[in-house]
Amino acid sequence: MATKEHSILIQASPEYLSELIVSGIREELKRIQLHFSEKSQNDELMTKKQVCNFLNCSSVSLWNWENRGMLNPVRLGRSIRYKKSDVEQFINRKTNK
């Protein structure tokens, strides 16, 4: 079934068109900024102890998951940290099975 398209022509000044474009760009930038600010909050680094408390597990379980490649740490010199977003993805994978 074919749909009828209707075109509406309106007269607009260049200033008005410019204002519409700038407004649309600002809205898109706000959306992108919100997306990245949420993402950066989830990329907070956690210690082994924090992850064990968060997952309510032992350090041995955490070590096993790391060795199986199920949870990958970030190594900063001698320090081992876990991205909060990775830990949350790990939880989601476990609960969706």
Side-chain angles (χ1 to χ4, degrees):
M1 182 166 153
T3 61
K4 294 182 180 180
E5 292 185 25
H6 293 64
S7 298
I8 298 175
L9 298 176
I10 59 170
Q11 286 185 322
S13 68
E15 293 82 17
Y16 179 70
L17 289 174
S18 177
E19 185 180 316
L20 283 176
I21 292 169
V22 169
S23 175
I25 290 171
R26 282 190 181 132
E27 288 299 316
E28 185 64 16
L29 286 173
K30 283 180 188 177
R31 190 187 65 74
I32 291 170
Q33 185 179 19
L34 178 63
H35 171 75
F36 280 108
S37 68
E38 288 172 354
K39 188 172 185 175
S40 66
Q41 288 174 356
N42 287 339
D43 282 342
E44 166 187 332
L45 295 177
M46 302 170 71
T47 64
K48 282 185 174 186
K49 185 176 181 178
Q50 288 173 322
V51 173
C52 287
N53 287 335
F54 189 73
L55 296 176
N56 194 25
C57 70
S58 68
S59 58
V60 174
S61 294
L62 189 59
W63 182 83
N64 284 329
W65 293 327
E66 181 182 330
N67 282 338
R68 292 182 194 156
M70 299 168 73
L71 195 55
N72 297 314
V74 176
R75 299 188 190 283
L76 305 168
R78 291 184 176 185
S79 299
I80 296 176
R81 300 288 186 266
Y82 297 84
K83 287 184 182 179
K84 187 172 184 180
S85 60
D86 290 346
V87 174
E88 289 172 345
Q89 286 177 1
F90 173 75
I91 292 170
N92 289 336
R93 285 192 307 266
K94 286 298 209 181
T95 56
N96 288 336
K97 285 187 175 181

XYZ file of all heavy atoms in Angstrom:
799
model
N 0.845 -1.168 0.000
C 0.000 0.000 0.000
C 0.893 1.235 0.000
O 1.743 1.390 0.855
C -0.892 -0.013 1.230
C -1.842 1.102 1.331
S -2.993 0.624 2.602
C -3.553 2.089 3.224
N 0.730 2.066 -0.961
C 1.550 3.256 -1.096
C 1.058 4.344 -0.141
O -0.132 4.503 0.086
C 1.504 3.757 -2.527
N 2.013 5.053 0.426
C 1.645 6.166 1.299
C 1.830 7.459 0.537
O 2.701 7.585 -0.314
C 2.524 6.190 2.566
O 3.885 6.348 2.171
C 2.358 4.935 3.373
N 0.987 8.379 0.834
C 1.075 9.681 0.201
C 1.975 10.567 1.043
O 1.817 10.641 2.254
C -0.302 10.319 0.079
C -1.227 9.589 -0.850
C -2.545 10.310 -0.948
C -3.496 9.586 -1.877
N -4.783 10.273 -1.988
N 2.917 11.177 0.381
C 3.784 12.112 1.081
C 3.301 13.521 0.792
O 2.974 13.852 -0.338
C 5.225 11.939 0.618
C 5.817 10.611 1.048
C 7.288 10.506 0.690
O 7.961 11.547 0.564
O 7.755 9.381 0.546
N 3.274 14.287 1.825
C 2.837 15.665 1.677
C 4.035 16.563 1.932
O 4.775 16.369 2.888
C 1.743 15.998 2.684
C 0.469 15.263 2.424
N 0.372 13.901 2.512
C -0.767 15.707 2.086
C -0.865 13.530 2.247
N -1.572 14.602 1.982
N 4.201 17.518 1.092
C 5.248 18.508 1.275
C 4.609 19.821 1.670
O 3.613 20.242 1.087
C 6.053 18.703 -0.008
O 6.700 17.512 -0.363
N 5.192 20.424 2.658
C 4.703 21.725 3.101
C 5.861 22.705 2.934
O 6.954 22.471 3.445
C 4.246 21.691 4.568
C 3.088 20.707 4.732
C 3.861 23.089 5.035
C 2.664 20.518 6.169
N 5.631 23.728 2.226
C 6.641 24.759 2.022
C 6.329 25.931 2.935
O 5.185 26.405 3.007
C 6.652 25.229 0.569
C 6.999 24.169 -0.475
C 6.871 24.767 -1.877
C 8.408 23.656 -0.257
N 7.342 26.347 3.652
C 7.170 27.533 4.487
C 8.297 28.506 4.164
O 9.387 28.098 3.766
C 7.174 27.195 5.996
C 8.478 26.510 6.393
C 5.999 26.350 6.381
C 8.665 26.363 7.874
N 8.000 29.731 4.327
C 9.034 30.723 4.127
C 9.748 30.940 5.448
O 9.108 31.098 6.492
C 8.432 32.035 3.638
C 7.985 31.987 2.199
C 7.510 33.353 1.733
O 6.882 34.077 2.488
N 7.808 33.672 0.487
N 11.068 30.909 5.389
C 11.854 31.105 6.602
C 13.064 31.961 6.251
O 13.679 31.783 5.198
C 12.293 29.778 7.179
N 13.378 32.817 7.154
C 14.542 33.674 6.937
C 15.818 32.867 7.171
O 15.799 31.846 7.879
C 14.496 34.869 7.894
O 14.690 34.417 9.218
N 16.905 33.288 6.604
C 18.179 32.597 6.863
C 18.528 32.578 8.352
O 19.079 31.601 8.850
C 19.201 33.416 6.071
C 18.419 34.096 5.002
C 17.057 34.341 5.602
N 18.165 33.622 9.068
C 18.443 33.687 10.501
C 17.658 32.599 11.252
O 18.170 31.952 12.147
C 18.095 35.072 11.071
C 18.970 36.193 10.571
C 18.548 36.725 9.203
O 17.399 36.459 8.755
O 19.385 37.395 8.568
N 16.391 32.413 10.866
C 15.553 31.398 11.497
C 16.089 29.995 11.204
O 16.161 29.141 12.088
C 14.101 31.533 11.029
C 13.180 30.490 11.624
C 12.845 30.521 12.974
C 12.666 29.459 10.843
C 12.013 29.560 13.525
C 11.837 28.503 11.377
C 11.512 28.547 12.724
O 10.700 27.588 13.265
N 16.476 29.753 9.956
C 17.050 28.454 9.599
C 18.334 28.202 10.367
O 18.579 27.096 10.862
C 17.307 28.372 8.088
C 16.082 28.266 7.201
C 16.492 28.334 5.730
C 15.334 26.983 7.485
N 19.157 29.219 10.480
C 20.402 29.105 11.234
C 20.113 28.777 12.701
O 20.767 27.927 13.306
C 21.187 30.412 11.131
O 22.350 30.361 11.897
N 19.103 29.425 13.261
C 18.707 29.180 14.654
C 18.223 27.733 14.842
O 18.559 27.074 15.822
C 17.603 30.159 15.041
C 17.188 30.102 16.495
C 16.089 31.110 16.807
O 16.192 32.274 16.352
O 15.127 30.713 17.498
N 17.456 27.225 13.888
C 16.983 25.840 13.953
C 18.152 24.853 13.908
O 18.179 23.870 14.650
C 16.019 25.542 12.803
C 14.602 26.072 12.921
C 13.821 25.769 11.645
C 13.902 25.469 14.121
N 19.099 25.118 13.025
C 20.258 24.229 12.901
C 21.078 24.243 14.184
O 21.440 23.188 14.717
C 21.113 24.630 11.679
C 20.343 24.333 10.393
C 22.455 23.900 11.697
C 20.971 24.934 9.149
N 21.362 25.418 14.702
C 22.149 25.535 15.937
C 21.429 24.857 17.091
O 22.032 24.140 17.902
C 22.457 27.018 16.249
C 23.037 27.184 17.640
C 23.408 27.587 15.206
N 20.126 25.031 17.170
C 19.337 24.401 18.230
C 19.424 22.871 18.139
O 19.593 22.187 19.148
C 17.887 24.855 18.137
O 17.092 24.181 19.064
N 19.310 22.348 16.928
C 19.409 20.904 16.737
C 20.784 20.372 17.108
O 20.905 19.319 17.741
N 21.805 21.105 16.752
C 23.171 20.688 17.090
C 23.370 20.714 18.597
O 23.957 19.791 19.170
C 24.199 21.590 16.371
C 24.173 21.310 14.867
C 25.603 21.377 16.936
C 24.991 22.278 14.039
N 22.867 21.737 19.268
C 22.997 21.817 20.739
C 22.312 20.626 21.421
O 22.850 20.044 22.356
C 22.399 23.121 21.247
C 23.297 24.292 21.047
C 22.787 25.517 21.768
N 23.690 26.628 21.513
C 23.310 27.827 21.150
N 22.030 28.109 21.018
N 24.196 28.766 20.931
N 21.122 20.287 20.950
C 20.405 19.151 21.529
C 21.184 17.851 21.345
O 21.277 17.027 22.244
C 19.006 19.024 20.920
C 18.041 20.099 21.358
C 17.807 20.095 22.858
O 17.625 19.006 23.440
O 17.814 21.190 23.445
N 21.739 17.657 20.165
C 22.522 16.448 19.889
C 23.782 16.413 20.745
O 24.153 15.371 21.279
C 22.877 16.369 18.405
C 23.569 15.097 18.000
C 22.715 13.847 18.163
O 21.485 13.955 18.301
O 23.297 12.746 18.162
N 24.445 17.553 20.913
C 25.638 17.609 21.757
C 25.300 17.297 23.218
O 26.062 16.618 23.906
C 26.315 18.970 21.645
C 27.068 19.230 20.346
C 27.560 20.675 20.289
C 28.229 18.268 20.187
N 24.158 17.768 23.696
C 23.730 17.460 25.065
C 23.509 15.955 25.225
O 23.893 15.362 26.220
C 22.437 18.203 25.414
C 22.625 19.655 25.719
C 21.274 20.301 26.055
C 21.390 21.794 26.181
N 20.100 22.425 26.443
N 22.885 15.342 24.220
C 22.631 13.898 24.266
C 23.949 13.117 24.281
O 24.121 12.188 25.056
C 21.778 13.485 23.063
C 21.257 12.067 23.122
C 20.558 11.665 21.838
N 21.447 11.613 20.690
C 22.353 10.650 20.476
N 22.487 9.677 21.321
N 23.121 10.682 19.402
N 24.892 13.527 23.456
C 26.194 12.859 23.398
C 26.940 13.045 24.708
O 27.531 12.099 25.241
C 27.013 13.394 22.206
C 26.385 12.936 20.891
C 28.469 12.952 22.295
C 26.956 13.602 19.655
N 26.909 14.254 25.250
C 27.590 14.529 26.509
C 27.007 13.676 27.641
O 27.748 13.128 28.455
C 27.477 16.010 26.852
C 28.247 16.414 28.081
C 28.116 17.908 28.353
O 27.209 18.571 27.862
N 29.032 18.430 29.136
N 25.698 13.548 27.685
C 25.049 12.731 28.697
C 25.481 11.277 28.562
O 25.791 10.611 29.545
C 23.534 12.853 28.590
C 22.711 12.020 29.563
C 22.998 12.444 30.994
C 21.233 12.162 29.260
N 25.530 10.779 27.335
C 25.951 9.399 27.082
C 27.368 9.157 27.596
O 27.637 8.169 28.276
C 25.870 9.089 25.585
C 26.465 7.783 25.202
N 25.848 6.579 25.458
C 27.638 7.486 24.600
C 26.619 5.600 25.029
N 27.710 6.125 24.498
N 28.292 10.075 27.293
C 29.678 9.881 27.701
C 29.868 10.092 29.200
O 30.710 9.446 29.808
C 30.619 10.771 26.895
C 30.918 10.208 25.541
C 30.386 10.784 24.411
C 31.711 9.083 25.407
C 30.641 10.253 23.160
C 31.973 8.545 24.160
C 31.444 9.134 23.036
N 29.091 10.969 29.821
C 29.237 11.152 31.262
C 28.748 9.910 32.006
O 29.336 9.504 33.003
C 28.492 12.395 31.740
O 27.101 12.240 31.629
N 27.680 9.270 31.512
C 27.211 8.019 32.118
C 28.256 6.924 31.934
O 28.529 6.154 32.841
C 25.895 7.579 31.489
C 24.715 8.431 31.876
C 23.456 8.089 31.097
O 23.521 7.255 30.166
O 22.408 8.648 31.422
N 28.863 6.869 30.769
C 29.857 5.849 30.479
C 31.093 6.042 31.355
O 31.634 5.078 31.883
C 30.235 5.879 29.000
C 31.111 4.743 28.586
C 31.296 4.705 27.099
C 32.090 3.465 26.730
N 32.204 3.300 25.306
N 31.541 7.282 31.540
C 32.742 7.508 32.337
C 32.505 7.160 33.804
O 33.410 6.727 34.495
C 33.225 8.949 32.201
O 32.301 9.843 32.767
N 31.276 7.320 34.286
C 30.975 6.925 35.655
C 31.093 5.417 35.813
O 31.517 4.921 36.839
C 29.573 7.373 36.051
C 29.456 8.865 36.254
C 28.022 9.282 36.507
O 27.106 8.488 36.455
N 27.834 10.563 36.778
N 30.726 4.653 34.774
C 30.809 3.207 34.837
C 32.223 2.697 34.602
O 32.495 1.532 34.826
C 29.857 2.570 33.830
C 28.416 2.706 34.264
O 28.135 2.911 35.429
N 27.511 2.605 33.323
N 33.148 3.549 34.140
C 34.519 3.129 33.933
C 35.395 3.444 35.134
O 36.614 3.455 35.038
C 35.088 3.761 32.654
C 34.597 3.047 31.414
O 34.121 1.900 31.537
O 34.685 3.624 30.326
N 34.745 3.671 36.245
C 35.457 3.852 37.504
C 36.246 2.570 37.795
O 35.776 1.466 37.539
C 34.405 4.120 38.584
C 34.864 4.011 39.997
C 33.679 4.120 40.952
O 32.675 4.756 40.609
O 33.776 3.550 42.039
N 37.460 2.707 38.318
C 38.277 1.542 38.625
C 38.033 1.081 40.052
O 37.909 1.895 40.971
C 39.763 1.858 38.412
C 40.167 2.166 36.976
C 41.642 2.535 36.909
C 39.876 0.995 36.062
N 37.970 -0.234 40.232
C 37.706 -0.828 41.537
C 38.874 -1.735 41.930
O 39.471 -2.383 41.074
C 36.412 -1.656 41.485
C 35.193 -0.870 41.063
S 33.758 -1.930 40.749
C 33.354 -2.452 42.412
N 39.166 -1.801 43.222
C 40.185 -2.708 43.716
C 39.617 -4.125 43.801
O 38.402 -4.321 43.688
C 40.662 -2.291 45.122
O 39.555 -2.412 46.028
C 41.204 -0.875 45.126
N 40.501 -5.100 44.028
C 40.032 -6.487 44.195
C 39.050 -6.587 45.352
O 38.021 -7.246 45.248
C 41.222 -7.417 44.467
C 42.025 -7.772 43.276
C 43.089 -8.786 43.667
C 43.827 -9.271 42.444
N 44.769 -10.347 42.768
N 39.388 -5.910 46.448
C 38.528 -5.957 47.633
C 37.156 -5.360 47.328
O 36.128 -5.922 47.723
C 39.192 -5.208 48.783
C 38.450 -5.298 50.088
C 39.213 -4.624 51.207
C 38.459 -4.749 52.515
N 39.198 -4.139 53.629
N 37.124 -4.250 46.598
C 35.851 -3.623 46.248
C 35.017 -4.540 45.348
O 33.811 -4.646 45.517
C 36.098 -2.287 45.541
C 36.600 -1.197 46.453
C 36.999 0.047 45.678
O 37.551 -0.034 44.586
N 36.734 1.210 46.261
N 35.697 -5.201 44.399
C 34.979 -6.106 43.494
C 34.430 -7.297 44.278
O 33.280 -7.703 44.075
C 35.890 -6.579 42.331
C 35.192 -7.635 41.497
C 36.289 -5.398 41.465
N 35.234 -7.847 45.177
C 34.764 -8.985 45.992
C 33.562 -8.582 46.836
O 32.601 -9.345 46.944
C 35.893 -9.507 46.879
S 37.157 -10.419 45.974
N 33.593 -7.392 47.411
C 32.448 -6.906 48.189
C 31.237 -6.677 47.283
O 30.115 -7.019 47.643
C 32.793 -5.611 48.926
C 33.718 -5.845 50.096
O 33.765 -6.932 50.666
N 34.476 -4.826 50.449
N 31.477 -6.105 46.106
C 30.403 -5.808 45.157
C 29.728 -7.087 44.675
O 28.511 -7.157 44.564
C 30.995 -5.022 43.979
C 29.993 -4.462 43.027
C 29.209 -3.376 43.373
C 29.846 -4.994 41.763
C 28.296 -2.833 42.482
C 28.933 -4.472 40.854
C 28.160 -3.388 41.235
N 30.545 -8.121 44.395
C 30.014 -9.395 43.892
C 29.689 -10.380 45.008
O 29.149 -11.456 44.740
C 31.033 -10.041 42.934
C 31.340 -9.283 41.651
C 32.431 -9.998 40.869
C 30.091 -9.129 40.801
N 30.052 -10.009 46.234
C 29.853 -10.904 47.375
C 30.511 -12.255 47.100
O 29.864 -13.308 47.184
C 28.364 -11.057 47.699
C 28.148 -11.682 49.061
O 29.015 -11.580 49.927
N 27.016 -12.327 49.246
N 31.803 -12.197 46.742
C 32.543 -13.412 46.431
C 33.891 -13.380 47.127
O 34.293 -12.362 47.686
C 32.741 -13.552 44.916
S 33.877 -12.348 44.219
N 34.586 -14.496 47.073
C 35.927 -14.569 47.667
C 36.963 -14.140 46.633
O 36.696 -14.091 45.427
C 36.215 -15.997 48.115
O 36.342 -16.851 46.988
N 38.177 -13.855 47.112
C 39.257 -13.486 46.198
C 39.648 -14.674 45.321
O 40.111 -14.496 44.195
C 40.467 -12.956 46.968
O 40.925 -13.924 47.886
N 39.425 -15.898 45.803
C 39.714 -17.096 45.009
C 38.761 -17.172 43.820
O 39.186 -17.466 42.695
C 39.608 -18.376 45.881
C 39.758 -19.621 45.037
C 40.649 -18.352 46.992
N 37.491 -16.889 44.030
C 36.524 -16.879 42.922
C 36.911 -15.823 41.894
O 36.893 -16.071 40.692
C 35.114 -16.593 43.434
O 34.661 -17.648 44.246
N 37.283 -14.654 42.373
C 37.701 -13.581 41.481
C 38.921 -14.008 40.665
O 38.988 -13.785 39.458
C 37.997 -12.315 42.285
C 38.253 -11.039 41.519
C 37.070 -10.670 40.634
C 38.560 -9.904 42.475
N 39.875 -14.649 41.316
C 41.078 -15.154 40.651
C 40.710 -16.192 39.587
O 41.245 -16.158 38.476
C 42.014 -15.755 41.692
C 43.305 -16.257 41.139
C 44.428 -15.546 40.865
C 43.602 -17.609 40.795
N 45.400 -16.360 40.364
C 44.921 -17.650 40.311
C 42.880 -18.796 40.843
C 45.527 -18.815 39.881
C 43.490 -19.964 40.421
C 44.798 -19.969 39.939
N 39.780 -17.092 39.918
C 39.330 -18.109 38.950
C 38.679 -17.466 37.730
O 38.946 -17.865 36.595
C 38.353 -19.094 39.602
C 39.043 -20.090 40.497
O 40.190 -20.463 40.261
N 38.355 -20.517 41.548
N 37.809 -16.499 37.944
C 37.139 -15.822 36.831
C 38.153 -15.083 35.961
O 38.017 -15.044 34.751
C 36.072 -14.868 37.345
C 34.921 -15.556 38.008
C 34.400 -16.776 37.693
C 34.148 -15.072 39.106
N 33.348 -17.073 38.520
C 33.167 -16.057 39.395
C 34.181 -13.921 39.873
C 32.235 -15.901 40.408
C 33.255 -13.764 40.884
C 32.280 -14.748 41.158
N 39.165 -14.509 36.613
C 40.215 -13.815 35.873
C 41.004 -14.802 35.013
O 41.263 -14.549 33.836
C 41.148 -13.095 36.844
C 42.248 -12.331 36.174
C 43.179 -11.659 37.165
O 42.739 -11.279 38.270
O 44.368 -11.531 36.827
N 41.363 -15.939 35.579
C 42.132 -16.951 34.836
C 41.336 -17.560 33.689
O 41.921 -17.983 32.692
C 42.627 -18.052 35.771
C 43.836 -17.609 36.560
O 44.532 -16.688 36.155
N 44.073 -18.237 37.686
N 40.036 -17.625 33.808
C 39.184 -18.157 32.737
C 38.866 -17.093 31.688
O 38.197 -17.377 30.701
C 37.870 -18.672 33.322
C 38.036 -19.903 34.180
C 36.693 -20.370 34.684
N 36.849 -21.326 35.760
C 35.940 -21.559 36.681
N 34.779 -20.909 36.654
N 36.151 -22.432 37.630
N 39.318 -15.859 31.915
C 39.062 -14.772 30.973
C 37.660 -14.208 31.073
O 37.204 -13.502 30.176
N 36.970 -14.520 32.150
C 35.597 -14.046 32.319
C 35.555 -12.614 32.854
O 34.567 -11.908 32.672
C 34.846 -14.982 33.267
C 34.763 -16.405 32.729
S 34.196 -17.576 33.967
C 32.474 -17.162 34.074
N 36.612 -12.205 33.525
C 36.702 -10.863 34.101
C 38.160 -10.426 33.971
O 39.043 -11.038 34.563
C 36.254 -10.900 35.561
C 35.930 -9.599 36.249
C 34.887 -8.798 35.477
C 35.431 -9.847 37.650
N 38.404 -9.409 33.163
C 39.779 -8.994 32.889
C 40.148 -7.736 33.654
O 39.484 -6.708 33.512
C 39.962 -8.759 31.386
C 39.749 -10.034 30.603
O 40.263 -11.073 30.964
N 38.976 -9.946 29.537
N 41.218 -7.809 34.437
C 41.641 -6.639 35.207
C 42.467 -5.674 34.358
O 42.953 -6.012 33.289
C 42.497 -7.249 36.307
C 43.079 -8.464 35.682
C 42.010 -8.988 34.750
N 42.616 -4.478 34.896
C 43.507 -3.473 34.322
C 44.727 -3.444 35.226
O 44.596 -3.275 36.431
C 42.817 -2.085 34.301
C 43.765 -1.014 33.811
C 41.553 -2.125 33.473
N 45.886 -3.642 34.657
C 47.116 -3.658 35.462
C 47.810 -2.309 35.345
O 48.120 -1.860 34.251
C 48.016 -4.781 35.016
C 47.346 -6.134 35.182
C 48.293 -7.291 34.925
N 47.589 -8.564 34.868
C 47.146 -9.250 35.904
N 47.326 -8.771 37.108
N 46.532 -10.393 35.749
N 48.028 -1.690 36.486
C 48.717 -0.405 36.569
C 49.960 -0.597 37.425
O 49.910 -0.472 38.640
C 47.807 0.659 37.195
C 46.456 0.877 36.528
C 45.563 1.730 37.400
C 46.656 1.537 35.183
N 51.063 -0.977 36.787
C 52.257 -1.323 37.550
C 51.976 -2.586 38.332
O 51.602 -3.606 37.772
N 52.130 -2.501 39.640
C 51.823 -3.656 40.502
C 50.353 -3.705 40.908
O 49.884 -4.703 41.443
C 52.676 -3.603 41.759
C 54.131 -3.853 41.514
C 54.874 -3.879 42.811
N 56.276 -4.207 42.595
C 57.118 -4.390 43.560
N 56.729 -4.256 44.828
N 58.371 -4.689 43.293
N 49.658 -2.624 40.685
C 48.252 -2.543 41.083
C 47.362 -3.251 40.071
O 47.590 -3.190 38.869
C 47.804 -1.083 41.183
O 48.550 -0.402 42.150
N 46.351 -3.909 40.589
C 45.351 -4.564 39.750
C 44.010 -3.920 40.063
O 43.590 -3.849 41.214
C 45.296 -6.084 40.019
C 46.618 -6.719 39.628
C 44.140 -6.720 39.257
C 46.712 -8.188 39.949
N 43.356 -3.436 39.025
C 42.054 -2.796 39.169
C 41.093 -3.408 38.160
O 41.497 -4.002 37.171
C 42.142 -1.286 38.927
C 43.069 -0.548 39.875
C 42.469 -0.470 41.265
N 43.263 0.337 42.161
C 44.184 -0.130 42.976
N 44.440 -1.419 42.988
N 44.846 0.673 43.774
N 39.819 -3.229 38.415
C 38.770 -3.737 37.528
C 37.866 -2.569 37.163
O 37.499 -1.772 38.027
C 37.957 -4.828 38.225
C 38.775 -6.043 38.577
C 39.516 -6.089 39.743
C 38.806 -7.144 37.733
C 40.274 -7.206 40.059
C 39.557 -8.268 38.046
C 40.294 -8.288 39.207
O 41.046 -9.390 39.514
N 37.497 -2.473 35.881
C 36.546 -1.444 35.461
C 35.173 -1.829 35.975
O 34.744 -2.975 35.823
C 36.492 -1.337 33.939
C 37.684 -0.693 33.314
C 37.457 -0.574 31.820
C 38.626 0.023 31.117
N 38.401 0.108 29.666
N 34.491 -0.866 36.563
C 33.152 -1.125 37.088
C 32.224 -1.585 35.968
O 31.392 -2.468 36.167
C 32.600 0.119 37.771
C 31.298 -0.133 38.489
C 30.864 1.056 39.310
C 29.614 0.714 40.093
N 29.158 1.841 40.901
N 32.380 -1.014 34.766
C 31.529 -1.413 33.639
C 31.767 -2.880 33.275
O 30.835 -3.596 32.936
C 31.782 -0.519 32.426
O 33.132 -0.588 32.007
N 33.021 -3.348 33.374
C 33.321 -4.762 33.098
C 32.681 -5.669 34.144
O 32.157 -6.735 33.815
C 34.831 -5.015 33.067
C 35.513 -4.397 31.856
O 34.804 -4.008 30.900
O 36.758 -4.307 31.877
N 32.726 -5.242 35.395
C 32.126 -6.025 36.483
C 30.614 -6.102 36.283
O 30.008 -7.164 36.442
C 32.490 -5.426 37.860
C 31.758 -6.150 38.985
C 34.001 -5.466 38.089
N 29.998 -4.981 35.893
C 28.550 -4.975 35.661
C 28.182 -5.856 34.466
O 27.170 -6.557 34.500
C 28.069 -3.540 35.462
C 28.107 -2.734 36.747
C 27.818 -1.257 36.550
O 27.865 -0.763 35.399
O 27.563 -0.584 37.567
N 29.008 -5.848 33.415
C 28.763 -6.728 32.265
C 28.894 -8.190 32.677
O 28.136 -9.045 32.226
C 29.739 -6.418 31.126
C 29.425 -5.148 30.394
C 30.468 -4.830 29.322
O 31.417 -5.575 29.107
N 30.282 -3.701 28.653
N 29.854 -8.483 33.522
C 30.049 -9.835 34.034
C 28.789 -10.300 34.770
O 28.304 -11.409 34.561
C 31.258 -9.872 34.968
C 31.450 -11.172 35.688
C 31.946 -12.283 35.027
C 31.139 -11.293 37.036
C 32.127 -13.483 35.691
C 31.315 -12.485 37.699
C 31.806 -13.579 37.031
N 28.233 -9.416 35.593
C 26.999 -9.741 36.328
C 25.859 -10.005 35.341
O 25.113 -10.968 35.480
C 26.619 -8.605 37.294
C 27.633 -8.507 38.424
C 25.213 -8.803 37.845
C 27.472 -7.267 39.274
N 25.738 -9.147 34.333
C 24.666 -9.301 33.347
C 24.795 -10.620 32.579
O 23.800 -11.287 32.314
C 24.650 -8.125 32.364
C 24.171 -6.853 33.021
O 23.455 -6.875 34.015
N 24.610 -5.726 32.492
N 26.018 -10.993 32.208
C 26.216 -12.255 31.517
C 25.839 -13.438 32.397
O 25.242 -14.405 31.950
C 27.677 -12.403 31.073
C 28.053 -11.548 29.881
C 29.390 -11.939 29.304
N 30.470 -11.975 30.266
C 31.319 -10.982 30.526
N 31.230 -9.845 29.864
N 32.272 -11.134 31.425
N 26.181 -13.356 33.677
C 25.878 -14.434 34.616
C 24.379 -14.548 34.868
O 23.846 -15.650 35.003
C 26.602 -14.223 35.951
C 28.078 -14.509 35.887
C 28.285 -15.932 35.532
C 29.544 -16.504 36.081
N 29.734 -17.886 35.709
N 23.695 -13.415 34.953
C 22.258 -13.459 35.268
C 21.411 -13.775 34.049
O 20.272 -14.224 34.183
C 21.780 -12.135 35.889
O 22.098 -11.064 35.006
C 22.428 -11.911 37.238
N 21.943 -13.564 32.847
C 21.174 -13.847 31.622
C 21.284 -15.296 31.171
O 20.625 -15.677 30.235
C 21.618 -12.908 30.484
C 21.144 -11.495 30.714
O 20.175 -11.262 31.404
N 21.859 -10.553 30.136
N 22.123 -16.092 31.818
C 22.268 -17.489 31.419
C 21.155 -18.336 31.956
O 20.482 -18.144 32.853
C 23.603 -18.058 31.908
C 24.751 -17.550 31.071
C 26.019 -18.244 31.464
C 27.158 -17.826 30.544
N 28.382 -18.479 30.860
